[in-house]
């Protein structure tokens, strides 16, 4: 027997990797009675119709949000404020409005002014994803055993928060709540700076003159290949993440630059102990991640030979 639905109508604004994964998971887990979806372009909306992952596909954000008791924005973070401005006056009283943005402080700042006191605003960030985009990229198991972080504002209704928590748990996620600024600091070091490093190193390899492009591709298994997967992540999404989480990213980059200067010096002066000590400590972090089931110990990300993707990038 399946559990009863938690919400009557879920509106997903944005039908990419995350929106379409929520739709698939919510349907598979009977989390809502009805799913309505929309996207910015006619092309994506048509594709959602073809995929059959929504009960109804609406032409506008307002049409989708009207009459829904749970509205989740699944758009790049730079779009959140504008979408909230559009739908704000049309929301059903008592509805819960949430999002999935990878940055929380800026999203709260941009969305909150457009949402009335009669709706519950509870931002969220499922820390799960891949380097792929669009409605075809989603899958129902994306959130299973991943964390979803809620950042309810002060004074948020505990019942609305508990219900949204139950929704994410129904989709398979573990849920934790924290203030938006703390979320942004944690994600700066665990996700945003690692993406920046991957984008940088792949760009540096691209610019090399003394090593040919075909050599970079051919010998990529030496470590480079793992960076290329992360550096293949969606350019719009990640541009918005760095612009929206500027302060926390700059803080973490400052520390990173200091540490890389210390390592540069250790290499230059032949200080093997410093290198060995650091590499021993970092190995313990990796073992900790495996121990809590957030990655597989299998080599090559546990992919069967020839399979190209699907490790979380966040
Ligand atoms: P995506 O696959 O590129 O999909 C984005 C969707 O948003 C598309 O359907 C797009 O429509 C739609 N959209 C953009 N602007 C819109 C607007 N003004 N009104 C209505 N729809 C609009 O992106 P995603 O990977 O799902 O990411 C969505 C959000 O999830 C981002 O905020 C990101 O930070 C967050 N997130 C991503 C990951 C990840 O690994 N990808 C993980 C966790 C959280 P069109 O297709 O018509 O342009």
């Amino acid at each position: 027997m399946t559990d009863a639905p938690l919400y009557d109508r879920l509106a997903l604004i944005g039908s990419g990797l995350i929106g379409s994964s929520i739709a698939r998971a919510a349907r598979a887990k009977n989390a809502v009675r009805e799913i309505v979806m929309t996207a910015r372009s006619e092309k994506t909306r048509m594709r959602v119709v073809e995929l059959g992952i929504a009960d109804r596909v609406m032409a506008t954000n307002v049409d989708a949000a009207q009459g829904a008791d749970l509205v989740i924005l699944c758009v790049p973070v730079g779009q959140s404020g504008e979408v909230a401005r559009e739908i704000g006056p049309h929301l059903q009283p008592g509805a819960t409005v949430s999002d999935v943005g990878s940055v929380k402080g800026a999203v709260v700042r941009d969305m909150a002014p457009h949402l009335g006191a009669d709706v519950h605003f509870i931002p969220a960030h499922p820390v799960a994803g891949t380097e792929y985009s669009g409605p075809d990229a989603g899958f129902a198991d994306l959130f299973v055993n991943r964390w979803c972080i809620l950042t309810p504002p002060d004074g948020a209704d505990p019942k609305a928060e508990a219900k949204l928590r139950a929704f994410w748990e129904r989709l398979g996620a573990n849920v934790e709540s924290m203030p938006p600024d703390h979320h942004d600091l944690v994600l700066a070091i665990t996700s945003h700076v690692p993406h920046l490093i991957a984008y940088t190193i792949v760009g540096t390899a691209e610019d090399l003159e003394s090593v040919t492009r075909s050599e970079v591709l051919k010998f990529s298994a030496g470590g480079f290949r793992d960076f290329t997967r992360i550096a293949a992540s969606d350019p719009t999404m990640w541009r918005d993440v760095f612009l929206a989480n500027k302060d926390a990213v700059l803080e973490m980059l400052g520390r990173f630059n200091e540490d890389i200067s210390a390592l540069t010096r250790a290499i230059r002066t032949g200080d093997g102990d410093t290198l060995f000590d650091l590499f021993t400590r970092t190995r313990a972090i990796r073992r900790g991640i495996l121990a809590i089931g957030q990655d597989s110990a299998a080599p090559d990300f546990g992919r069967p030979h020839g399979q190209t993707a699907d490790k979380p990038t966040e």
Side-chain angles (χ1 to χ4, degrees):
M1 218 184 89
T2 52
D3 292 325
L6 293 157
Y7 294 90
D8 280 326
R9 187 185 297 170
L10 164 65
L12 294 166
I13 300 189
S15 304
L17 169 71
I18 302 296
S20 74
S21 293
I22 295 176
R24 289 170 168 104
R27 183 174 278 176
K29 299 294 166 94
N30 195 37
V32 300
R33 284 199 174 78
E34 186 187 23
I35 300 170
V36 301
M37 292 177 77
T38 191
R40 183 174 38 187
S41 67
E42 174 71 12
K43 185 169 170 248
T44 301
R45 293 194 297 267
M46 289 306 297
R47 185 63 191 143
V48 175
V49 172
E50 284 164 14
L51 289 169
I53 55 177
D55 295 297
R56 289 186 292 146
V57 178
M58 315 304 270
T60 69
N61 296 338
V62 169
D63 289 344
Q66 257 167 350
D69 53 349
L70 175 60
V71 179
I72 306 182
L73 272 59
C74 305
V75 300
V77 290
Q79 294 289 312
S80 316
E82 177 54 24
V83 173
R85 192 190 59 75
E86 258 181 282
I87 65 172
H90 306 278
L91 293 165
Q92 175 174 289
T96 292
V97 179
S98 190
D99 76 310
V100 295
S102 308
V103 179
K104 298 274 57 102
V107 164
V108 171
R109 183 198 63 210
D110 294 349
M111 286 181 67
H114 305 294
L115 303 173
D118 57 350
V119 300
H120 305 295
F121 178 38
I122 305 187
H125 175 205
V127 187
T130 73
E131 66 273 35
Y132 296 106
S133 312
D136 287 273
F139 53 100
D141 285 346
L142 178 63
F143 310 110
V144 174
N145 199 28
R146 299 286 167 227
W147 285 94
C148 180
I149 301 172
L150 305 185
T151 63
D154 288 343
D157 178 27
K159 275 197 199 140
E161 183 185 343
K163 198 166 164 183
L164 189 65
R165 172 182 281 264
F167 172 82
W168 279 105
E169 286 172 348
R170 183 77 70 88
L171 270 46
N174 307 311
V175 182
E176 191 160 307
S177 296
M178 63 177 71
D181 292 353
H182 188 67
H183 165 280
D184 290 353
L185 209 55
V186 172
L187 270 290
I189 193 62
T190 56
S191 171
H192 306 167
V193 168
H195 273 78
L196 197 72
I197 292 168
Y199 282 123
T200 310
I201 205 156
V202 174
T204 304
E206 168 80 26
D207 289 344
L208 283 180
E209 281 156 12
S210 52
V211 179
T212 65
R213 194 190 170 107
S214 69
E215 283 173 316
V216 169
L217 299 181
K218 189 164 140 194
F219 301 118
S220 67
F224 183 73
R225 184 177 56 189
D226 297 345
F227 285 108
T228 62
R229 183 182 57 77
I230 297 176
S233 300
D234 188 71
T236 305
M237 167 185 158
W238 284 97
R239 175 202 61 197
D240 284 10
V241 166
F242 290 115
L243 296 180
N245 201 20
K246 179 173 155 182
D247 292 344
V249 167
L250 290 179
E251 159 72 20
M252 292 304 165
L253 270 180
R255 286 166 182 257
F256 177 79
N257 282 328
E258 284 172 20
D259 290 347
I260 211 154
S261 297
L263 281 187
T264 308
R265 188 179 155 75
I267 293 168
R268 188 184 305 113
T269 59
D271 177 0
D273 288 349
T274 294
L275 300 175
F276 188 84
D277 288 350
L278 175 69
F279 302 163
T280 306
R281 280 195 285 130
T282 54
R283 203 173 213 199
I285 294 261
R286 171 68 189 167
R287 287 178 176 157
I289 291 171
L290 296 181
I292 59 169
Q294 291 296 303
D295 202 355
S296 150
D300 196 19
F301 294 112
R303 276 175 217 151
H305 193 65
Q307 185 182 322
T308 48
D310 277 353
K311 279 313 294 175
T313 62
E314 282 223 339

